[in-house]
Amino acid sequence: MAEDKKKNINQVPQQEVTGENVADSTESIDFEEVYLTRGQLMWRAFKKNKLAMFGMWVLIIMYIAMIFADFLAPYDPFKQNLNHSLKKPTTVMMKYNVADLKTTMSPYVLPEVSYIDKLDYTQNFKTMLFPSRIKLKLKDGTELAVIDKHVVEIKEDGTIVPKYLPKGRKLDEKFVLAESIKLVVRTIAYAQVDGQWVQYKDETEDVDALVFGVDNSILEKGKNERITESRTARSFVAQNEGWKFGFYAMNEQEAMNRLTAVKLEQDLVGIKYYDADFNEHEISLDEAQIVSYDYKFYPVKWFVKSWGPDSTDPERVGYLFWIIPLHYHLFGVDNYDNNEYVSINIFGADRYGRDVWSRIIFASRVSLTIGFIGLFVTLVLSLFFGALAGFYGGIVDEVIMRFCEILMAIPGFYLLLLLRAVLPIDLPSSQTYMLLIFILAFLGWPGRARIIRGQILAERQREYVEAAIALGFPDTRIMWRHIIPNLATYIIVSSTLSIPGYILGEAGLSYLGLGIREPSASWGNMLTAAQDVYILEKVPWLLIPGAFIFVVVLAFNFVGDGLRDAFDPRALG
């Protein structure tokens, strides 16, 4: 009779509460026995390891990101933009601030460029201010607004409404739409020589944009004045303009001692704009004054067309699952006027102006897959040679094990360099990738083959194997149907713990220039740019790929530790 899982326990005496016996008092308790399968027991043991669960979720996220890299990348990972060389991570803004309008808006970015300051001659990344609207008051009292046509929307019925003007800004009663707006700026430069200010430059130029936070007061006040005593500025002026101050026979240090400061005076002379037919119009500020102004901003949005079949640069196309052409990407900037200085680089840009985030997730396809593919090759070799040596023994065992010992006696890293050095250095990245897999697998199989050989020797002596041999089963069936399944625990756990070795091996070779090469990306060759001390001090975001290597290797170790607990019979309880 099958055992009933539900059992009824009657006549269970009630426990004493006050020391007095409670006679003839009973209660009925129903309970159900639950039997867990081996898989459920292993999952329960795995879940008890919190670090293993953390590592598992990290790896799941990383591999999902790898699969959907084209969708998650806001830019083509191979597209260069030298305007953004070594650009720091983009600041996403939500506050809009001009003299007459301070408001909070949806997230947006401003154009940025590598900029040489005309005052102190230092190079840095500066935010740029492109005027989108300038309201002028003419001498006759009328007001006129010059508005860039890209920041408004013209409907089918001809109505014009603001689209990229800041929140709270309405269209002026009288305005003209311009293809572009330029500022006419006069710059006068002075040097303080022997305590006296001496003019050495006076030039007027048309500029598309001002440097935000540096000289945008030209629009607010009509002029700007800055003074510096920096050695860089004084040295530059002394070397290039010193003849104007009589520095013919002086050395640099003497000229620097006499030239103690540099000053720039900038005045806004006028406003230029171009109409739809590209006819130039200029309004002199002798005839008008600036009432208010706005600058262009570029909204950050989800699901943006940035690169692919419908972009302005369709040379590179992103694909979903490597098959479906992508028209949209997860996030990006609405660059409505194709401004070359606009981008959102959440992890900054490298020396070629390529988006670091886009390259990191594309590089994960190399760094995350090389471990599994290399491990597969290693397992095939180690199982084949380890099984031959352990099952047949004798001369076969001697030859295979001595060959393994010879390989293991050579230092692994030097053997890695040797194997890569004898191969052509200018191979395409796809071929280099396959070569790295076989090189790393060639280094990894001897040690694992020795362990598998030892375990097969032990299993070879068990009764079930001897019985199978006595029944005349083929050797291959005995090996793959009876012996190898009993090694599954070791194979799974050791494989998980060995994957980080392949990732680090590829990263090391690529870091040394012997692995994946430019323009293809892997986490290792992305770290090559961080060999310079200047990069380590000034451009630390180029070290972010190293953080990804660290996190993924740590996650694999956590998961391997959790699997070891899950396969331990003592932990199944």
Side-chain angles (χ1 to χ4, degrees), residues 22 24 64 88 124 216 231 245 303 305 320 325 345 383 434 455 485 491 497 512 543:
V22 182
D24 300 328
I64 290 176
K88 65 180 180 180
N124 202 345
N216 55 301
R231 182 178 182 86
F245 314 131
F303 307 108
K305 288 183 180 180
L320 187 63
N345 307 104
L383 283 173
M434 299 306 299
Q455 294 190 346
I491 292 173
L497 292 173
L512 295 175
L543 296 174

Side-chain angles (χ1 to χ4, degrees), residues 309-536:
D310 294 335
S311 69
T312 56
D313 183 17
E315 295 179 3
R316 281 266 307 163
V317 178
Y319 288 93
L320 187 63
F321 301 116
W322 293 273
I323 299 174
I324 308 170
L326 272 177
H327 297 269
Y328 290 90
H329 303 273
L330 179 63
F331 68 95
V333 175
D334 186 359
N335 191 356
Y336 48 85
D337 61 351
N338 296 320
N339 192 324
E340 61 180 335
Y341 303 108
V342 174
S343 66
I344 178 169
N345 307 104
I346 59 175
F347 284 169
D350 63 12
R351 66 181 62 194
Y352 300 107
R354 299 172 299 192
D355 182 42
V356 171
W357 163 249
S358 298
R359 289 182 64 77
I360 282 177
I361 55 177
F362 268 86
S364 66
R365 291 180 170 176
V366 172
S367 299
L368 293 180
T369 57
I370 199 167
F372 281 104
I373 300 176
L375 178 64
F376 174 77
V377 177
T378 299
L379 283 178
V380 170
L381 293 175
S382 58
L383 283 173
F384 178 75
F385 290 106
L388 286 179
F391 191 81
Y392 293 106
I395 187 65
V396 175
D397 183 21
E398 288 292 328
V399 172
I400 294 177
M401 288 301 101
R402 298 299 80 77
F403 180 66
C404 290
E405 290 167 0
I406 291 173
L407 291 179
M408 294 173 64
I410 303 174
F413 187 71
Y414 294 105
L415 182 58
L416 191 67
L417 294 178
L418 175 64
L419 291 173
R420 181 63 186 91
V422 299
L423 298 171
I425 198 68
D426 56 348
L427 291 174
S429 293
S430 58
Q431 296 182 24
T432 302
Y433 176 74
M434 299 306 299
L435 285 173
L436 287 178
I437 289 174
F438 284 101
I439 289 173
L440 294 171
F442 183 75
L443 293 176
W445 75 267
R448 186 170 281 105
R450 285 178 59 85
I451 298 176
I452 290 175
R453 172 252 187 189
Q455 294 190 346
I456 289 178
L457 279 176
E459 293 293 326
R460 177 73 170 73
Q461 308 301 321
R462 295 185 178 273
E463 291 82 358
Y464 72 91
V465 176
E466 293 180 351
I469 294 173
L471 290 173
F473 289 145
D475 293 346
T476 54
R477 179 175 179 179
I478 295 172
M479 184 67 65
W480 298 106
R481 294 286 299 275
H482 300 282
I483 297 179
I484 297 299
N486 286 287
L487 307 181
T489 299
Y490 162 75
I491 292 173
I492 294 174
V493 175
S494 66
S495 298
T496 306
L497 292 173
S498 64
I499 288 176
Y502 295 93
I503 297 175
L504 292 174
E506 180 278 326
L509 280 178
S510 297
Y511 180 78
L512 295 175
L514 299 174
I516 305 299
R517 305 183 68 193
E518 294 282 359
S520 299
S522 76
W523 291 343
N525 77 346
M526 289 182 70
L527 282 176
T528 305
Q531 295 181 11
D532 191 349
V533 175
Y534 171 81
I535 297 296
L536 297 177

